[in-house]
Amino acid sequence: MSEELIGMVLADAGERMDEAVAAARREFSTVRTGRASSALLERVPVEAYGVTMAMRELVSFAIPEASQLIVTPHDRANIAAVERAIQQAQLGLVPSSDGRVIRLSFPPLTEERRRELARLVGSMAEDSRNRVRGLRRQARKDLEGIEKEGGVSADSVARAGEQLDGITRAHEKQIDEALASKEDELLEV
């Protein structure tokens, strides 16, 4: 029974770490590069129909070229609200509307801004690594609790701890790979 508990603790920790890596990737996608990306706007809050909604619920996105994003509201009545939300988000983008769609041009980033964004992404990655390490600490406490309850040898808990460290290293590596990819994208001219 206790061996099953150890397996459950490891599986739960792995799933939570997977979620932390996915959250890190989502966070990275919100950092603007010189390329058009809908991820930058998807979670921007828009006041429409008397409530605040995420932009992705009100519009569709198209990327006709690398530096341009077209935002098409599902309901034309919301075009002003969407445009206002883009301006309030302070993303450095100037919306241009023709009454049906909103066009956003992504200007190229300066070298200084690229470096600044790379530092920001590095900070996000460190926060994500810390989240993964926190999950490892919690799983270790759970393993120690199982050992104290009895029925499992200290060796079994030690082996599970080694497996947990391997799972943690694998997830940290995934975060590092996502970071390297985002930094390459940011520093690409």
Side-chain angles (χ1 to χ4, degrees):
M1 175 65 185
S2 296
E3 291 291 333
E4 291 174 9
L5 286 175
I6 288 175
M8 289 171 52
V9 167
L10 292 175
D12 183 53
E15 288 173 15
R16 288 174 182 238
M17 289 180 190
D18 286 342
E19 291 169 11
V21 170
R25 287 189 174 123
R26 279 192 304 275
E27 263 189 286
F28 293 167
S29 71
T30 63
V31 175
R32 187 180 144 229
T33 61
R35 294 190 194 128
S37 171
S38 63
L40 192 61
L41 295 173
E42 287 178 349
R43 291 189 273 169
V44 170
V46 180
E47 188 72 32
Y49 306 115
V51 295
T52 302
M53 305 170 76
M55 189 170 296
R56 70 176 170 264
E57 298 171 358
L58 295 169
V59 303
S60 60
F61 299 101
I63 303 174
E65 57 187 65
S67 64
Q68 187 177 57
L69 179 67
I70 295 179
V71 180
T72 308
H74 302 303
D75 181 358
R76 283 190 190 172
N78 292 326
I79 199 155
V82 170
E83 202 169 354
R84 191 171 34 256
I86 292 170
Q87 290 170 339
Q88 290 173 348
Q90 297 179 345
L91 299 169
L93 301 172
V94 180
S96 169
S97 171
D98 65 4
R100 287 180 292 146
V101 298
I102 299 169
R103 295 181 192 286
L104 299 168
S105 293
F106 286 68
L109 298 172
T110 63
E111 185 65 27
E112 180 181 331
R113 183 69 177 146
R114 289 175 191 275
R115 299 248 180 252
E116 188 179 310
L117 291 173
R119 280 192 297 277
L120 173 67
V121 171
S123 169
M124 290 175 171
E126 188 57 35
D127 290 346
S128 297
R129 282 189 218 100
N130 287 337
R131 239 177 274 135
V132 166
R133 291 176 192 136
L135 292 168
R136 176 185 62 194
R137 272 191 300 279
Q138 183 58 49
R140 281 221 189 261
K141 285 180 186 175
D142 293 346
L143 290 172
E144 290 168 5
I146 292 170
E147 181 181 10
K148 286 178 184 173
E149 288 175 9
V152 175
S153 68
D155 289 343
S156 294
V157 172
R159 276 192 300 277
E162 290 171 10
Q163 288 177 320
L164 182 61
D165 289 343
I167 292 168
T168 303
R169 281 191 298 275
H171 285 87
E172 287 177 336
K173 183 178 178 188
Q174 290 176 17
I175 291 170
D176 291 341
E177 289 169 353
L179 170 63
S181 172
K182 188 63 175 187
E183 284 177 336
D184 288 347
E185 188 179 323
L186 280 168
L187 299 175
E188 178 183 302
V189 180

